[in-house]
Amino acid sequence: VQLVESGGGLVQAGASLRLSCVAPIQPIGTYALGWFRQLPGKERELVAGMNWSGSRTYYEDSVKGRFSIIRDDAKRTVYLQMNSVKPEDTAVYSCAASILGGELGPYDSWGQGTQVTVSS
């Protein structure tokens, strides 16, 4: 499965940003979808995930209440809505998918990543 992210860039702290990931899979509703980030010098971590049915979501503690994972089946796209961003959110963000998976993974398909940089 080939996933393609977009929407990264440079933003100021406190701003909002929405990342998009086009997932040309049919039907997208059978895939768990997630967003990972990799901070400089650290391992990749799961930021937000949604199980295949959309009934459960997961958010990493530091983004709870600020980030939302949203799936649009008609557009075969999953979004990461990022509000009130902080400098520590600076990272490369990647989307991931797993057929009939859970919100925590494991994920087996990845996008190439998009850089998000938050200035203070």
Side-chain angles (χ1 to χ4, degrees), residues 13 21 32 41-42 50 53-54 65 73 81 99 103-104 114:
C21 174
K42 296 190 177 181
M50 178 182 290
S53 69
D73 290 0
Q81 180 65 43
I99 189 167
E103 65 274 23
L104 297 177
T114 185

Side-chain angles (χ1 to χ4, degrees), residues 50-68:
M50 178 182 290
N51 73 326
W52 70 271
S53 69
S55 62
R56 297 191 306 271
T57 56
Y58 162 84
Y59 293 98
E60 195 271 329
D61 284 346
S62 68
V63 307
K64 285 180 180 177
R66 300 189 298 122
F67 291 10
S68 298

Side-chain angles (χ1 to χ4, degrees), residues 107-120:
Y107 293 90
D108 52 24
S109 297
W110 301 86
Q112 82 287 353
T114 185
Q115 176 71 46
V116 173
T117 302
V118 182
S119 62
S120 58

Side-chain angles (χ1 to χ4, degrees), residues 7-83:
L10 174 64
V11 295
Q12 289 189 331
S16 294
L17 191 67
R18 188 174 74 168
L19 305 182
S20 301
C21 174
V22 178
I25 48 182
Q26 179 69 20
I28 192 174
T30 60
Y31 281 77
L33 298 164
W35 283 95
F36 286 74
R37 69 184 178 188
Q38 186 164 21
L39 283 68
K42 296 190 177 181
E43 294 188 357
R44 186 167 53 190
E45 64 176 355
L46 178 64
V47 175
M50 178 182 290
N51 73 326
W52 70 271
S53 69
S55 62
R56 297 191 306 271
T57 56
Y58 162 84
Y59 293 98
E60 195 271 329
D61 284 346
S62 68
V63 307
K64 285 180 180 177
R66 300 189 298 122
F67 291 10
S68 298
I69 184 169
I70 303 163
R71 189 179 80 191
D72 186 328
D73 290 0
K75 295 183 178 180
R76 300 182 188 179
T77 300
V78 59
Y79 303 98
L80 183 66
Q81 180 65 43
M82 306 168 64
N83 297 328

Side-chain angles (χ1 to χ4, degrees), residues 82-95:
M82 306 168 64
N83 297 328
S84 302
V85 296
K86 304 176 181 180
E88 51 264 43
D89 294 323
T90 295
V92 175
Y93 286 75
S94 302
C95 64

